Amino acid sequence: MKTKILTTVVFLLSLVNMQAQEFFSDKRPVQSANEFTRKVNDISYDIDVIIKTNKDKLAQELGEIEKKVANNELTKVEADKLRNEKAEFYAKQIEEETEKQSDKIKTLINNKIEDNINFSSDMAAYQKQLIENKSLFMVEYRLLGNSSLMIDDSAYKDYYTSGFISSFGMGIGAKTRVGKETSRIYWKSMLDVNFHFFKINDNKTFESVNNETVLDDVAFPVTKSRMNITELNWSNYLEYDFSKRKYDEFGNTIIKSRQSFYAGIGGFIGYSQLSRQLEYEVDGEKYRQTTASKFNSNQFIYGVGAYVGYQNFSLRTTYNLNTVFKRSFADQNIFNISLVLELF
């Protein structure tokens, strides 16, 4: 009987040890592991106390039986019978009391298994939250933009000027991670609209004459002469994110872009609409005349661009490879640099 009890206890303790090794990985909370171990140790100690206490009581009663035999108060047959009864009684006591403690260990193990399953499920959901979606919807605003005309003939450069803020725009699109979830490379695709404003000096404006765009004098004094360009573009950029990887308390990698510096390079194609604007006064009355037409312009446009940024802000430059006009007094290409706010 004693052998059976000890075998059962040893088996349960070995089972606890194997479960503990499985549960107490470096991803488990340290406090939970310590608490479980403490409870198991307490139960093991209680089992040792139960066995020792009952063995001591049995030894005491066997000693009293020996005294009675020595004093001729019990015969040898009566003593042997009494010894067996006492041994069976305390063996049963040990068995019943240790079985209760064994049930406690089983309950602890079952609870630990259930906790482990729940923890694994929660951890899997938690780990997914640490990884940014592969594709993100984006909105961008070109807050401060400066556009200038790159003219190949220096004789005409003084006719065009642009203010410090001479363009603005906005766009919508998406950014998609390329390759594995740990990849730092992204494909950014946007549909955006941009506006460029250029001032024409010396009381001049542009005209299309015989399919050639020329600068011509305005027949009356003007306070402002402008060339306005509206672009609808589809742009695509390849972006690299320099953000340093971060980790949570369990050692899981946090995948989130634009936590630091990033850079991109790419290009765009699109459609351009040109308009001419004149502002003038007649008899003290102010007038504004706006004419939208082709003016022999290149309505299909294309170009290249690049940007560097930090978190939600970037500095972007674009260059239109196409000239503004098909035929003109000089080739004119738009160069833009803008501060961009990007939200996603």
Side-chain angles (χ1 to χ4, degrees):
M1 183 66 70
K2 294 179 181 178
T3 304
K4 180 180 177 182
I5 293 170
L6 292 174
T7 303
T8 303
V9 172
V10 171
F11 171 76
L12 286 172
L13 290 177
S14 63
L15 180 60
V16 168
N17 182 58
M18 288 188 296
Q19 292 293 338
Q21 290 179 359
E22 179 180 351
F23 294 141
F24 303 154
S25 65
D26 56 356
K27 294 184 179 179
R28 300 292 296 174
V30 176
Q31 184 177 0
S32 177
N34 290 340
E35 183 180 356
F36 181 77
T37 304
R38 180 183 60 78
K39 289 181 178 179
V40 170
N41 289 336
D42 289 344
I43 295 173
S44 299
Y45 176 78
D46 291 341
I47 292 174
D48 291 338
V49 170
I50 290 169
I51 295 173
K52 184 177 185 305
T53 300
N54 283 277
K55 286 176 67 176
D56 290 344
K57 288 181 180 179
L58 176 60
Q60 184 179 354
E61 296 210 26
L62 290 176
E64 292 177 358
I65 293 172
E66 292 299 329
K67 289 180 181 179
K68 290 181 179 181
V69 171
N71 295 330
N72 295 319
E73 296 178 13
L74 289 174
T75 65
K76 185 177 182 303
V77 174
E78 290 174 336
D80 289 340
K81 181 181 178 182
L82 192 57
R83 288 189 192 98
N84 290 333
E85 289 176 354
K86 294 295 182 181
E88 289 179 1
F89 172 79
Y90 284 108
K92 187 175 181 181
Q93 285 289 99
I94 291 174
E95 183 178 3
E96 290 177 352
E97 292 182 29
T98 55
E99 186 175 354
K100 293 178 182 179
Q101 301 301 319
S102 300
D103 289 341
K104 290 182 181 180
I105 292 179
K106 291 177 182 178
T107 301
L108 273 178
I109 293 174
N110 290 334
N111 290 340
K112 199 64 180 174
I113 292 173
E114 185 177 352
D115 290 344
N116 187 63
I117 293 172
N118 293 335
F119 182 86
S120 299
S121 177
D122 294 341
M123 178 59 78
Y126 168 71
Q127 287 174 331
K128 288 182 180 179
Q129 295 177 357
L130 299 179
I131 301 174
E132 189 177 67
N133 291 337
K134 186 173 184 179
S135 295
L136 297 173
F137 176 77
M138 301 186 67
V139 178
E140 65 177 33
Y141 301 92
R142 296 193 178 189
L143 304 175
L144 302 173
N146 177 268
S147 292
S148 56
L149 283 176
M150 311 299 290
I151 303 175
D152 63 352
D153 192 333
S154 60
Y156 292 93
K157 290 183 179 180
D158 292 338
Y159 286 110
Y160 291 98
T161 57
S162 57
F164 177 75
I165 301 177
S166 52
S167 74
F168 69 90
M170 67 172 296
I172 58 173
K175 185 183 70 167
T176 303
R177 189 185 305 111
V178 178
K180 299 180 180 179
E181 63 184 22
T182 56
S183 174
R184 296 177 178 272
I185 301 174
Y186 295 83
W187 184 267
K188 178 183 172 186
S189 184
M190 304 289 294
L191 186 64
D192 48 67
V193 58
N194 302 298
F195 304 93
H196 308 279
F197 310 101
F198 302 100
K199 181 181 178 182
I200 305 176
N201 302 318
D202 297 340
N203 214 70
K204 292 182 179 293
T205 189
F206 55 92
E207 295 280 359
S208 179
V209 179
N210 297 326
N211 293 324
E212 182 177 357
T213 304
V214 298
L215 286 177
D216 196 11
D217 292 322
V218 182
F220 50 87
V222 295
T223 55
K224 287 184 180 179
S225 176
R226 294 183 180 275
M227 178 174 67
N228 302 328
I229 300 175
T230 302
E231 296 178 345
L232 180 63
N233 295 335
W234 177 44
S235 59
N236 289 274
Y237 291 89
L238 202 60
E239 179 180 311
Y240 187 85
D241 197 316
F242 293 94
S243 301
K244 185 179 179 180
R245 292 285 185 248
K246 296 182 179 180
Y247 302 88
D248 69 354
E249 58 183 321
F250 302 115
N252 297 307
T253 306
I254 301 173
I255 307 296
K256 192 172 183 181
S257 62
R258 297 198 173 183
Q259 297 301 291
S260 182
F261 291 97
Y262 55 91
I265 188 170
F268 61 89
I269 59 173
Y271 171 82
S272 175
Q273 176 62 57
L274 196 66
S275 66
R276 182 180 65 189
Q277 182 178 309
L278 298 174
E279 294 181 16
Y280 55 93
E281 290 186 11
V282 176
D283 297 330
E285 294 288 338
K286 295 183 178 180
Y287 294 88
R288 177 180 294 175
Q289 180 187 94
T290 301
T291 306
S293 182
K294 291 183 178 180
F295 292 108
N296 193 43
S297 64
N298 282 307
Q299 293 186 299
F300 173 73
I301 60 175
Y302 55 94
V304 294
Y307 58 86
V308 293
Y310 181 82
Q311 295 186 353
N312 292 105
F313 289 92
S314 64
L315 194 64
R316 182 179 307 168
T317 61
T318 58
Y319 180 76
N320 292 41
L321 295 174
N322 62 283
T323 57
V324 175
F325 302 105
K326 296 177 181 178
R327 292 180 59 201
S328 182
F329 52 85
D331 289 339
Q332 303 159 54
N333 301 80
I334 299 176
F335 176 77
N336 175 268
I337 182 169
S338 298
L339 177 65
V340 182
L341 170 64
E342 298 183 84
L343 303 175
F344 55 92

